[in-house]
Amino acid sequence: MPRLDARLKLVAGEIRGKIHADIGSDHGHLLAALLSASRIERGIAVENKPQPHQNSSATLERLNAEVRLGDGMDVIEENEIDSLSICGMGGQSIVHILSEHPNRLPQQIVLQPNKAIESVRQWARDNGYWLTDEKCTGTKRRFEVLVFRRSGSSPDPVYQKLDQAGLDESMGLMFGPWFLLRKDEQLLQRLAEEQRYLQARPNLTETSQARLETIRRLLTSDHFLRR
């Protein structure tokens, strides 16, 4: 069984079901680990380039899995899968994939975006998916894993909890509502470092100035001062 890195271990820990699809699987290691641990019954790897397709095919050759060559959800049928993962891409790329065929998305989606994570959270808010959990690696580089479940049109309760804690939705979208509610120490250290960095820079852009103000409000909020 392939050894998974810290971020993929977090992803694997959230997945249980019959048929799971992994988009951009690269070497197929996540699916191989899930199948070997009997966390899923069947896997589908989706690759959009020949070399990753060959890599995943070699890894999954003797397992109950198939590798499809195509773009994102283009090669997944409606109601075919129970869960989906996309790891190691930018947030905007992930949102593009999720938005192409909304009728083909499963109940559970586990995502590990490398950047623009707020766009993934916003997509879920706009498309009836609740953010049921957020986790991060304890390694030097912070990788965040987001777990979503389809809920229909009702508001995501985690943002209501955020409001009750005296924090607003924009903070949650930017930095993660579960991380904020749990007062994640690693995140708070990063925010304090970023605040010092931004304060030392002259002539901040409007976007950077808004981010600095959000960080300042967070770090001086009653929610965090009560730690």
Side-chain angles (χ1 to χ4, degrees):
M1 181 178 71
R3 296 185 63 179
L4 302 181
D5 60 21
R7 65 192 179 91
L8 290 184
K9 282 181 181 178
L10 284 182
V11 173
E14 299 299 326
I15 297 168
R16 291 176 181 83
K18 291 186 177 180
I19 304 176
H20 179 79
D22 186 38
I23 294 178
S25 191
D26 191 19
H27 285 80
H29 290 169
L30 176 62
L31 287 179
L34 291 170
L35 288 162
S36 298
S38 300
R39 299 184 75 91
I40 61 173
E41 295 178 10
R42 179 168 170 263
I44 301 171
V46 179
E47 307 290 1
N48 66 358
K49 293 181 176 63
Q51 188 59 56
H53 183 274
Q54 293 176 21
N55 296 340
S56 292
S57 297
T59 300
L60 299 168
E61 184 177 8
R62 292 181 174 82
L63 297 172
N64 188 21
E66 63 175 300
V67 185
R68 299 178 184 175
L69 186 62
D71 288 324
M73 300 299 292
D74 287 358
V75 293
I76 301 293
E77 299 297 325
E78 189 173 352
N79 299 318
E80 183 179 16
I81 58 176
D82 303 298
S83 55
L84 170 73
S85 56
I86 309 175
C87 306
M89 296 186 194
Q92 296 291 353
S93 296
I94 291 175
V95 168
H96 175 75
I97 290 170
L98 297 174
S99 302
E100 284 289 278
H101 300 283
N103 59 313
R104 302 182 189 182
L105 297 178
Q107 287 286 94
Q108 186 195 47
I109 301 176
V110 183
L111 305 172
Q112 184 269 300
N114 282 345
K115 58 183 179 179
I117 302 176
E118 64 275 11
S119 64
V120 176
R121 295 189 183 100
Q122 186 64 63
W123 171 87
R125 289 281 282 148
D126 295 340
N127 289 275
Y129 276 84
W130 285 3
L131 178 58
T132 59
D133 203 1
E134 297 176 301
K135 295 183 177 180
C136 67
T137 59
T139 55
K140 186 174 182 180
R141 181 177 178 186
R142 180 185 176 96
F143 291 101
E144 297 185 4
V145 172
L146 314 182
V147 184
F148 298 98
R149 182 163 291 277
R150 184 189 291 128
S151 65
S153 59
S154 57
D156 189 336
V158 72
Y159 293 100
Q160 297 173 3
K161 293 179 182 179
L162 205 63
D163 181 66
Q164 293 166 5
L167 306 175
D168 60 54
E169 182 178 312
S170 65
M171 296 174 178
L173 292 172
M174 192 175 294
F175 302 115
W178 287 113
F179 293 130
L180 297 179
L181 289 171
R182 294 169 183 156
K183 303 179 183 180
D184 181 85
E185 284 294 337
Q186 188 183 89
L187 174 61
L188 293 178
Q189 291 173 8
R190 289 177 62 247
L191 291 180
E193 291 172 3
E194 185 174 354
Q195 182 183 41
R196 289 192 293 270
Y197 170 77
L198 291 174
Q199 287 175 336
R201 293 196 65 182
N203 304 320
L204 290 177
T205 65
E206 186 175 334
T207 300
S208 294
Q209 186 63 52
R211 186 176 176 90
L212 175 60
E213 176 58 21
T214 300
I215 293 172
R216 187 197 64 77
R217 288 191 296 117
L218 263 177
L219 296 179
T220 58
S221 67
D222 289 341
H223 178 70
F224 288 111
L225 291 176
R226 288 195 300 266
R227 283 186 292 159

